[in-house]
Amino acid sequence: MIRMVGVAKVYPMGSEISPILEDVTLHVPQGMLAAIIGPSGSGKTTLLNLIGGLDTPTQGQYFLNGQDVSHFSREQWAHERNRTIGFVFQSFQLIPALSARDNVALPLVYRGVAPKVRRAQADQALEHVGLGHRRDHRPSQLSGGQQQRVAIARALIGDPALLLADEPTGNLDQATGQEILALLQTLNRAGKTVVIVTHSAEVAHACRQVIQMQDGHLVRVAQEMERV
Amino acid sequence: MMTWRDGVRLAFHGMVSNKLRTLLTMLGVIIGVAAVIVLVAMGQGASSLVTSRIETLGTNVIFVSPAGGTPFPVSEATVIARALPFPTIVVPEMNTGATVSTLTASGGAQVVGTTPAYIHIGAVSLAAGHFLTPLEMTQDQPVAVLGANQVQTLFGGSNPVGASVMIMGQQFRVIGALNRVGQGPGASQDKDIFIPMTLAQSLLSTTQLSQITVKTPSPDQANLAADYLTNLYTNTFGSANAVTIASEDQVLQTLQATRATFTHLLAGTAAIALIVGGIGIMNIMLVSVTERTREIGIRQALGATREDILLQFLLESMAMSLSGGSVGAILGVGLVHLVPVLWKTPAVFSPNALILAFVFSTAVGLGFGLYPAIKASGLDPIQALRYEG
């Protein structure tokens, strides 16, 4: 699903050039449940942003689903994200002025899907995460766990092959976090490739592939079999 | 790629999500568009009134008046009539401001000493009674014909024929009343009181005329007459500038030039109003883009292209200016109907002004919405998602 070879990301900081990510070579197979771990500033969010095309690599090659996306333009990435990637963020990133249903339907707006069809699919996705009864509520009227479920429904609605989650349990209490993790695990079992950036040992432990980052370097990739 | 329908839906959603702010922002465009429609209607009303007056007078009339200290005695009328090789109506006038009164009322008036032929120029028409007659003229009878304003001031609008008025200490019998002329180029005859010229000479103790009006059978002859008279006065006084010779044709041309200036002035005023409105829209859109930075980041992450974001904000600013334009148009058309009632000024509604107003408000929305929209579409998704508003 994800293959990176010698990927680096460098940000110009004034006259200095500081590398954020150096020489990352990585393979996440289709259907994998992967965690990216590491201390703050180790480059794990940058890596996730690169995977999701919110950022582009300065160097190296990146293949997504077998397609070379190393030099994709902003427009190409917008289309690619819309079709093959679902995002889940630590701070949920729902639009406050929209109802749960309209938030969930958002990716379909950018696919040019008709409003009626969008609404039906959004209701279905909300049903799927157990929030069918809350579809007309605004994000502010929902609990943190419910908001994250709405965000997951939104990530799912376009039926993407890849789910990218940046600290999805970071803003939630332990019990709610476990529910969200369980939901992601269920989705993974249903065939989605899931990549989670996390601080939580518990979340990392639940994953079958653990990618460990430190100082912008990929220091270790542990597969399930090694850990056993 | 978002569909157009969704774009428009989104634009209106953005507009109504902050109603008061949207309304205040739209106010600039509302006032601008209403101003365009009302000002143009008033301009058109004024010029159509003037044009219709000139048309009733005809373009076969020329005016001769002394410039500066040129002597212009009563005998000049005979000189002019003789100088022209075709039949003309030559009407001398001497004017002065005076106080007039009846037993119950008094006021200021323009006293005009003239001849019975004055009525044949076509500038005024009788509402009651008759105009000065040759007999009254030769007998130096103290008779007067009142303009519409004088009828109103001195007699409260009732028929004055047969009543008496005091003009400069002398009593006059009213023999006629004129229809209202209204405002137009030059002075209106509504304030005037017409008396026989022979009597005016002794009353004003002068033999100097203030104007001679010449009416020829055709407009071409009027131009010819103007040329003849120019020659005549060049020979008499050594300069054509000693008298002013103006034909209605020239007056009409001057009027059209004035109207063009007036139209440009209106267009300028309207443009300023709309530009100010546009700046208001730009200001609010920039605030809106900043406030919604995170939303923009979210939309980008979910697959909105640069074009989608650009369209969203551009359509929102256009929705705002077009809604403002529509409200302004309704307000403007309403005011056009109200102006003649409130100020007794004619106003002619022009569909062109409506079209102009809409074109302008669309252009304003597009023009002033473009920069904020470009700013929004150029945001970096990662930074936008991290924005703490």
Side-chain angles (χ1 to χ4, degrees), chain B residues 253-298:
Chain B
Q253 277 169 21
T254 312
L255 190 77
Q256 273 157 357
T258 313
R259 197 197 297 183
T261 313
F262 191 56
T263 308
H264 289 147
L265 202 72
L266 288 183
T269 312
I272 290 169
L274 281 167
I275 285 169
V276 172
I279 292 169
I281 289 183
M282 176 139 83
N283 187 25
I284 281 304
M285 289 311 293
L286 283 172
V287 171
S288 178
V289 167
T290 308
E291 277 179 356
R292 285 150 74 184
T293 299
R294 219 181 229 265
E295 176 187 326
I296 294 164
I298 294 169

Side-chain angles (χ1 to χ4, degrees), chain A residues 74 81-82 93 110 115 118, chain B residues 1 6 294 299 302 385:
Chain A
R74 265 181 82 154
R81 276 199 299 276
N82 189 246
Q93 303 283 24
Y110 296 108
R118 286 201 308 252
Chain B
M1 185 63 203
D6 280 324
R294 219 181 229 265
R299 290 179 183 275
L302 300 180
L385 283 167

Side-chain angles (χ1 to χ4, degrees), chain B residues 85-108:
Chain B
F86 36 79
T88 51
I89 303 169
V90 178
V91 184
E93 268 177 58
M94 49 176 53
N95 300 331
T96 190
T99 307
V100 294
S101 60
T102 61
L103 288 175
T104 53
S106 72

Side-chain angles (χ1 to χ4, degrees), chain B residues 5-144:
Chain B
R5 250 179 68 191
D6 280 324
V8 172
R9 198 191 307 253
L10 199 57
F12 278 97
H13 190 272
M15 254 180 72
V16 299
S17 65
N18 201 330
K19 289 189 194 69
L20 181 65
R21 191 163 85 181
T22 303
L23 190 73
L24 288 174
T25 309
M26 274 166 33
L27 214 52
V29 179
I30 292 174
I31 292 169
V33 167
V36 174
I37 292 172
V38 172
L39 290 179
V40 169
M42 287 175 75
Q44 297 253 329
S47 72
S48 72
L49 184 76
V50 166
T51 311
S52 74
R53 267 194 69 194
I54 287 183
E55 275 161 6
T56 54
L57 205 55
T59 50
N60 51 343
V61 173
I62 60 175
F63 304 104
V64 185
S65 51
T70 311
F72 208 59
V74 174
S75 57
E76 219 48 52
T78 327
V79 175
I80 286 177
R82 280 201 195 128
L84 298 176
F86 36 79
T88 51
I89 303 169
V90 178
V91 184
E93 268 177 58
M94 49 176 53
N95 300 331
T96 190
T99 307
V100 294
S101 60
T102 61
L103 288 175
T104 53
S106 72
Q110 181 77 11
V111 176
V112 181
T114 189
T115 60
Y118 186 91
I119 193 79
H120 301 303
I121 297 169
V124 295
S125 60
L126 280 162
H130 62 269
F131 201 73
L132 308 170
T133 62
L135 188 68
E136 287 159 345
M137 186 85 174
T138 50
Q139 293 180 345
D140 274 351
Q141 286 189 30
V143 290

